[in-house]
Amino acid sequence: MSYRHARRNLRAAMLASSALLGAAATTAYAQEQDVTEVEEIVVVGSQIRGAKVTAALPVTVVSEDDIIAAAPASGDDLFRSIPQMGDVTFNSSYQPNTANSARGDTGSVNLRSLGIGNTLVLLNGRRVVGHPTSQANEHLVPVLTYNTNAIPVSGLKRMEVLRDGAAAIYGADAVAGVVNTVLRDDMNDWTVSTQYGGAEGTGMRELNFSLYGGKDFLDGRANVSAFFNYDHRDELNTLDQDYTATNNISHLFAGTGFENDSTLVGTSNIAPWGRFTVRNANGSAGQAFTVLPGTHALCATQIGDGVCLRNNGTLPSELNADTATMGLSVMPEVDRFNLFLTGRYQINDNIEAFGELGGYHAKSQAYQEPIASASAVNFIIPGTNYYNPIAGSPDITMTGYRFSDLGPISVAVTNKQFRILGGLRGDWNGWNWESAVLYSEASAKDVSDNISATKLEEWAGKNTPDAYNFFNGGNASNPQVGDTTLSNQAAIDGIRVDLVRRTKTELALWDFKVSRPDIYQLPAGPVGVAAGIEFRKETQMDDRDDRMDGTIRYQNLAGVWSSDFINQNENPDTYGERDVFSAYAEIAAPLVSPDMGIPLVHNLEVQLAGRFEEYSDFGSIAKPKFAAAWDIVDGFRVRGSWAQGFRAPNLEQINATVITRSNQTIDWTYCAALDANGALSGGLRNCGANTGNYVSADYIDDFRQAHARKSTPERRSGNPDLDPEESETLSIGVVFQPRFIPAEYGDFTITADWWQVEQTGMVGLFRGQNAVTLDYLLRKNGSYNPNVVRKEVTAADERIFAGSGFEAAGEIDHIKDAYTNQQPQTVEGLDLGVMWKLRTDRYGDFSANLNVSHLLKYYLDMAPDTQRLSDAVASGELDSNIFISGSMGDMIADMGRPEWKWSLSTTWRKDAWTVGAFTQYISSLYDDSVTNADGDFWTVEDTLTGNLYAEYAFDGSQITPALANASVRVGVRNITDETPPLASGGYVGTVYQPYGRYWYASFRKTF
């Protein structure tokens, strides 16, 4: 039997047996408790203390036992185990090559796959400060998340996930729901634990140590509890696994019919084998040339030292840089600390003081691909360069070069988070009241290697051998990997500088809230009410390096100004702040009770809530919510809710100043003018790549001056006039507890909830190409798009447009593209849950929990201006070859958002033994960047993984009393060693962790 066949059989057996094996999952499973238990412990669905209406809401609970059993090394591990959590776009394996995105020890929250920023995270019922570093989402706008790795996992009592819109109760960002992490408190013993594990076949090892406990004082009137957690993770290296060991993964697709797709060849034509253009005396571009190994067949001129020149600006593909083979970081090395203290003091019988003090510190170290030149900086090598290979020593423009002799880029990121809270709570005339003051801040410092263009010009201009040498090529014996022909060390040290980005967010909050579970008595029972006010201040600061924010600028030899970093656009600093006042009210009322004896209405409860918020930067907003639970008979409940919500635009979306990004743009106006004059063969479909090949000889010189297709600067900016993204959520579900099943078969709870979220005004960009297409459409009707800024009309422009029917237009200088409220989206899904518990004296205790998330619809509509372009194409007003940029349409399974995710965990406990199993399924995705000859998309296979562990608890008598209250656990995650399924780039990092089977062992003792 083949290994693959045996592993397939093992997967099937694992799925069948997981319902029989006992265990809490090694990755914490999401468990929806039975209705009664939800009513007792869950606070996230209501602000009414003691309210039972939370049974009307879909809530997932991860209990303290589940968290202990999971032994997660980070908050990211914990959140990934919940099927309702979507793609993790902020993650430690996301290693962008610029500091423009969050890097390091990060994890994100994305409930319902609605996107970053649509889930509110609470700690002990109050807001958590957001991670300070943004990254662009699929709509190209900066989004901010809560860093799940800053959550002290070892100190959690439970985690509650409200899978329902909750803006009316908790305010902004609760569109998809709320995650409330509840800390341990009132502890009176101490527990120490340690865990060591690692991914099989890799060098990644992890060590965790935690200590938590507390003590009562003053005869129990006071308590102080604390917990400390330390994690160390070694680097996961690209060379550890075949799907990360090279940028060319086409061989992994051999025999699939997709192996010839060029997307799979991820090597770069920016290599140490540089591409250059000679500058003529008048500043125009002259002969292009490329440096090659001296033995290459395309050599034209030998220049010594084993290299030659090719009189062409194209680098042969076999010389492309394969940076992954250098041994870079897939996941960085991390050291993480969490420390948290909680305390309470009973002032008198009615008033208690409480407080929290917490901190998080993480340092990560990664090594990424060497610095490469980019269009951000147009660098010109002075003709005085000692190594200039061109006769007459002209200035030379660098068009493509990788500084591999500097080695991989070091990226060191330090993340910090701090929280302090103090408050009072108590009872007064039947009212529960609580008030607290909170201050929290998060900061990040990202330090990476880079090159100063000013210093590079200095060392490039030297006429002595210590000049920086651009023309010595790379590694002749292994030309795709690294560089063995280094410039002198003084030049390397002279051009290298640190790129430092500092970000910081702050949250200051004061609130006062009251509640009473029995303000009024109805025939069915007491009416509960809650109300409160909140003032909060939020700030965000993004302090870019002086060489990037415009403080220190570079002027090249042609007089063009840019960032002083060789591979970075200018990016100004950003600062924003807002003040928010909010007020809310909530009513929970029982309309029918069981003792009223009404047929088919065993019980009926409703919840009404509303919230008003006033923002200093965009105005006010108010949102309502209604929920109800109807027990038709005892054990069969129908529940539902309707709510409106909103996501406030984040401070960067409002306050960001102009940043410039360059993208390839096709100017359809130029193309149409050429086509109208018969100068463009094949029509507009050829107005793209290699357009010059289709332009008639009479117009080719004018075309080259006019640049119908080129890299165009897009000036993106924040928008103080942004409105909040608004939403409407509807959910309907049932809870079934079959009372007719005999007790000896256990207790069953079955849940099913359908939900739908409609969002409008999602913040995005119109996009540069769309702006240029709109400009063409308007010019056809005698107008133009003012956001497409053009240069003065030249003689070449006049010749192109003469007789075309269009007014002459100048070359595009730049495009203005501010963040605006764009398209709506509709997301719809189904959640299913089956819970089973059985307690026996003879065989022990059993439990099983199935949690299913099924996406039924994820549709992204067009924004009004985009729809206008689409309608013009459909009507024939625009050529059918004109394309529209941006994400739209059905988004399910599009390199993320799996249609199905489910987890099945089972538990068996008997005496000192616990055995556990956990199974997780993720359905297939499709990768539309990879196609075969028939135009089919690549299918990213579905996955079924399983975890297994066994734990033994000592009572102290077996070996030594020192082991009393101690336990040892041995476990394995992904027992069948399923690697993440293949995709472009190797794997889908937002869905899968980049490693296979993981072994671990842990020890825990309470004293």
Side-chain angles (χ1 to χ4, degrees):
M1 180 183 293
S2 70
Y3 169 72
R4 179 173 296 185
H5 184 65
R7 190 168 71 171
R8 187 183 303 117
N9 288 344
L10 181 57
R11 288 177 62 186
M14 175 185 64
L15 176 59
S17 62
S18 61
L20 302 176
L21 294 172
T26 52
T27 301
Y29 59 82
Q31 173 184 349
E32 182 161 1
Q33 310 289 346
D34 61 74
V35 174
T36 302
E37 191 172 352
V38 169
E39 292 174 352
E40 291 175 351
I41 70 168
V42 175
V43 298
V44 73
S46 173
Q47 295 277 19
I48 304 172
R49 191 172 178 181
K52 295 184 178 181
V53 75
T54 49
L57 303 173
V59 177
T60 297
V61 176
V62 182
S63 71
E64 183 175 12
D65 286 342
D66 302 333
I67 297 170
I68 292 173
S74 66
D76 185 32
D77 291 338
L78 184 61
F79 276 68
R80 282 178 183 264
S81 68
I82 301 174
Q84 287 77 19
M85 289 294 174
D87 301 353
V88 185
T89 53
F90 287 63
N91 62 77
S92 59
S93 68
Y94 178 60
Q95 300 287 328
N97 291 318
T98 74
N100 290 327
S101 296
R103 300 190 284 195
D105 185 46
T106 59
S108 56
V109 184
N110 181 13
L111 187 59
R112 301 292 197 200
S113 294
L114 287 180
I116 299 300
N118 285 291
T119 307
L120 178 63
V121 176
L122 309 175
L123 181 62
N124 291 338
R126 288 183 172 85
R127 285 176 173 264
V128 175
V129 68
H131 184 65
T133 309
S134 67
Q135 78 185 35
N137 65 6
E138 61 189 329
H139 306 300
L140 305 182
V141 298
V143 292
L144 296 163
T145 186
Y146 303 95
N147 186 4
T148 57
N149 285 339
I151 296 173
V153 175
S154 66
L156 290 184
K157 180 188 296 184
R158 67 181 183 271
M159 183 169 68
E160 307 159 352
V161 182
L162 174 60
R163 311 187 312 269
D164 197 43
I169 300 175
Y170 292 102
D173 308 338
V175 174
V178 179
V179 177
N180 183 34
T181 50
V182 182
L183 298 175
R184 290 188 180 98
D185 57 4
D186 274 348
M187 290 182 282
N188 251 315
D189 53 19
W190 289 91
T191 297
V192 60
S193 69
T194 185
Q195 178 171 304
Y196 181 78
E200 187 176 308
T202 75
M204 189 187 81
R205 300 292 181 265
E206 292 184 278
L207 172 67
N208 170 270
F209 173 82
S210 64
L211 174 68
Y212 53 90
K215 184 175 179 58
D216 282 344
F217 299 93
L218 303 175
D219 298 324
R221 290 175 56 198
N223 178 276
V224 174
S225 296
F227 36 87
F228 168 79
N229 191 80
Y230 167 71
D231 296 283
H232 172 81
R233 183 184 69 215
D234 294 329
E235 175 199 57
L236 181 64
N237 194 276
T238 55
L239 300 181
D240 288 343
Q241 295 161 120
D242 59 357
Y243 53 90
T244 59
T246 173
N247 296 123
N248 182 358
I249 59 173
S250 57
H251 64 286
L252 299 177
F253 291 74
T256 66
F258 290 83
E259 58 268 30
N260 295 322
D261 190 292
S262 60
T263 306
L264 303 176
V265 183
T267 57
S268 173
N269 65 359
I270 304 180
W273 309 100
R275 294 179 285 117
F276 309 94
T277 302
V278 175
R279 286 177 58 84
N280 295 324
N282 63 1
S284 62
Q287 176 63 50
F289 68 93
T290 308
V291 175
L292 304 178
T295 57
H296 199 280
L298 296 177
C299 283
T301 305
Q302 296 288 337
I303 60 174
D305 294 327
V307 295
C308 70
L309 303 183
R310 177 193 186 190
N311 296 327
N312 186 294
T314 302
L315 185 70
S317 61
E318 66 271 17
L319 300 182
N320 284 358
D322 190 353
T323 57
T325 59
M326 300 177 68
L328 308 177
S329 301
V330 177
M331 297 177 70
E333 179 182 355
V334 172
D335 286 285
R336 180 192 308 118
F337 299 86
N338 288 100
L339 176 64
F340 223 94
L341 291 88
T342 63
R344 62 166 179 81
Y345 172 66
Q346 194 73 37
I347 298 173
N348 56 42
D349 291 342
N350 296 316
I351 301 177
E352 181 181 73
F354 62 95
E356 302 171 5
L357 180 64
Y360 153 81
H361 182 281
K363 180 70 177 288
S364 67
Q365 176 65 59
Y367 293 93
Q368 298 176 207
E369 65 181 47
I371 296 166
S373 63
S375 59
V377 177
N378 186 12
F379 187 79
I380 300 173
I381 303 168
T384 56
N385 183 272
Y386 179 82
Y387 301 99
N388 191 329
I390 305 302
S393 299
D395 292 343
I396 296 173
T397 300
M398 182 175 68
T399 57
Y401 180 73
R402 188 175 297 274
F403 294 83
S404 295
D405 51 1
L406 272 72
I409 298 171
S410 168
V411 179
V413 182
T414 302
N415 290 324
K416 298 179 182 179
Q417 196 161 303
F418 170 78
R419 177 183 175 102
I420 184 170
L421 178 147
L424 297 171
R425 58 189 168 215
D427 299 317
W428 178 78
N429 287 341
W431 290 85
N432 298 305
W433 61 270
E434 185 173 310
S435 181
V437 176
L438 163 70
Y439 175 77
S440 186
E441 67 177 45
S443 63
K445 181 181 179 182
D446 185 310
V447 182
S448 58
D449 292 333
N450 213 291
I451 294 171
S452 163
T454 301
K455 292 178 180 292
L456 180 63
E457 185 176 300
E458 174 189 345
W459 284 89
K462 292 180 180 293
N463 59 4
T464 57
D466 59 349
Y468 185 85
N469 187 359
F470 298 85
F471 311 105
N472 56 2
N475 181 353
S477 62
N478 193 1
Q480 290 194 308
V481 183
D483 189 352
T484 56
T485 55
L486 308 182
S487 289
N488 73 83
Q489 194 60 46
I492 292 174
D493 294 341
I495 64 177
R496 190 197 305 265
V497 294
D498 283 342
L499 189 165
V500 182
R501 181 186 183 186
R502 293 180 173 87
T503 56
K504 181 179 179 181
T505 48
E506 296 175 290
L507 170 66
L509 180 148
W510 172 80
D511 64 10
F512 180 80
K513 49 190 177 183
V514 296
S515 71
R516 183 169 178 171
D518 57 355
I519 190 173
Y520 184 76
Q521 189 70 29
L522 290 175
V527 176
V529 66
I533 58 173
E534 177 184 282
F535 292 91
R536 71 178 187 268
K537 186 179 187 68
E538 302 170 347
T539 70
Q540 184 201 11
M541 179 270 293
D542 188 352
D543 182 11
R544 300 288 184 141
D545 195 287
D546 287 350
R547 299 180 186 275
M548 184 185 290
D549 66 10
T551 303
I552 300 174
R553 306 186 73 200
Y554 167 65
Q555 185 180 29
N556 72 5
L557 296 179
V560 178
W561 290 93
S562 66
S563 159
D564 192 47
F565 288 121
I566 197 65
N567 66 340
Q568 299 282 330
N569 284 291
E570 285 195 338
N571 213 126
D573 298 338
T574 299
Y575 177 80
E577 63 178 52
R578 64 163 54 118
D579 298 316
V580 185
F581 165 75
S582 61
Y584 71 89
E586 177 189 352
I587 297 173
L591 302 183
V592 178
S593 64
D595 55 12
M596 295 174 70
I598 298 177
L600 299 181
V601 187
H602 181 73
N603 193 69
L604 180 61
E605 302 169 350
V606 296
Q607 177 194 43
L608 294 171
R611 189 180 185 101
F612 169 83
E613 294 204 349
E614 176 73 32
Y615 286 75
S616 60
D617 49 2
F618 70 78
S620 60
I621 194 166
K623 295 297 178 184
K625 177 169 186 171
F626 172 78
W630 169 28
D631 289 7
I632 299 175
V633 295
D634 183 26
F636 189 83
R637 167 168 292 171
V638 177
R639 61 188 181 189
S641 69
W642 170 86
Q644 291 184 340
F646 67 99
R647 190 191 74 83
N650 65 49
L651 290 171
E652 190 166 343
Q653 291 171 357
I654 289 178
N655 295 285
T657 49
V658 174
I659 61 173
T660 302
R661 300 289 184 263
S662 295
N663 290 293
Q664 289 290 323
T665 302
I666 299 175
D667 190 344
W668 301 112
T669 302
Y670 269 114
C671 298
L674 288 167
D675 190 45
N677 288 328
L680 183 65
S681 63
L684 265 60
R685 70 175 181 273
N686 289 328
C687 194
N690 301 315
T691 306
N693 297 335
Y694 300 97
V695 177
S696 66
D698 294 339
Y699 285 86
I700 190 64
D701 290 338
D702 296 330
F703 164 76
R704 285 173 176 161
Q705 294 180 57
H707 301 292
R709 182 182 188 272
K710 68 168 190 171
S711 181
T712 305
E714 298 177 14
R715 297 183 181 178
R716 303 171 183 174
S717 63
N719 184 355
D721 296 323
L722 280 174
D723 293 323
E725 299 174 355
E726 302 200 43
S727 64
E728 185 172 345
T729 302
L730 179 65
S731 69
I732 301 172
V734 295
V735 181
F736 179 43
Q737 293 179 292
R739 310 295 191 195
F740 55 83
I741 297 179
E744 58 265 30
Y745 295 111
D747 298 325
F748 291 84
T749 300
I750 303 168
T751 64
D753 292 280
W754 171 87
W755 55 271
Q756 182 185 77
V757 180
E758 295 182 341
Q759 292 177 277
T760 58
M762 295 175 62
V763 176
L765 289 173
F766 185 44
R767 300 181 184 242
Q769 182 62 69
N770 289 342
V772 173
T773 303
L774 179 60
D775 183 64
Y776 168 50
L777 178 62
L778 293 174
R779 287 179 180 274
K780 291 185 67 174
N781 295 283
S783 183
Y784 66 95
N785 182 0
N787 289 324
V788 177
V789 180
R790 295 178 179 271
K791 298 177 181 179
E792 293 294 326
V793 175
T794 65
D797 299 328
E798 294 283 5
R799 286 190 292 271
I800 284 177
F801 281 90
S804 67
F806 289 91
E807 182 180 349
E811 178 187 353
I812 297 174
D813 182 74
H814 66 273
I815 301 166
K816 295 187 289 186
D817 200 1
Y819 306 135
T820 53
N821 293 100
Q822 291 279 318
Q823 64 259 57
Q825 72 176 13
T826 302
V827 185
E828 183 180 314
L830 181 67
D831 292 334
L832 303 172
V834 180
M835 285 69 68
W836 172 69
K837 292 182 180 180
L838 175 64
R839 293 178 173 86
T840 69
D841 294 331
R842 182 176 181 182
Y843 299 107
D845 298 337
F846 300 83
S847 69
N849 300 272
L850 174 67
N851 187 6
V852 180
S853 174
H854 176 34
L855 272 179
L856 298 170
K857 182 179 182 180
Y858 201 116
Y859 196 86
L860 190 60
D861 289 299
M862 292 185 180
D865 279 343
T866 310
Q867 186 66 56
R868 180 181 180 183
L869 298 179
S870 178
D871 292 343
V873 172
S875 67
E877 187 176 5
L878 288 178
D879 190 283
S880 60
N881 291 292
I882 290 179
F883 55 89
I884 299 171
S885 301
S887 301
M888 60 195 73
D890 184 5
M891 306 298 291
I892 291 180
D894 183 7
M895 279 297 281
R897 307 179 190 86
E899 184 178 2
W900 289 93
K901 289 179 72 175
W902 57 259
S903 64
L904 173 63
S905 60
T906 56
T907 307
W908 171 72
R909 290 185 176 91
K910 179 69 167 69
D911 300 326
W913 286 96
T914 299
V915 179
F918 175 80
T919 303
Q920 186 174 49
Y921 174 79
I922 300 174
S923 64
S924 63
L925 310 173
Y926 68 87
D927 185 348
D928 56 11
S929 67
V930 181
T931 57
N932 61 16
D934 297 326
D936 302 319
F937 298 149
W938 170 254
T939 298
V940 181
E941 293 183 348
D942 60 340
T943 58
L944 177 66
T945 57
N947 306 339
L948 183 67
Y949 82 87
E951 179 177 316
Y952 184 80
F954 298 94
D955 64 11
S957 61
Q958 300 99 328
I959 302 176
T960 171
L963 289 177
N965 299 316
S967 63
V968 62
R969 180 188 304 125
V970 177
V972 55
R973 302 173 185 169
N974 190 359
I975 191 170
T976 55
D977 195 22
E978 303 294 325
T979 57
L982 282 174
S984 57
Y987 69 102
V988 185
T990 59
V991 179
Y992 296 100
Q993 294 282 28
Y995 50 83
R997 184 158 45 221
Y998 182 104
W999 297 90
Y1000 70 95
S1002 67
F1003 175 82
R1004 184 174 71 250
K1005 177 176 173 57
T1006 300
F1007 54 91

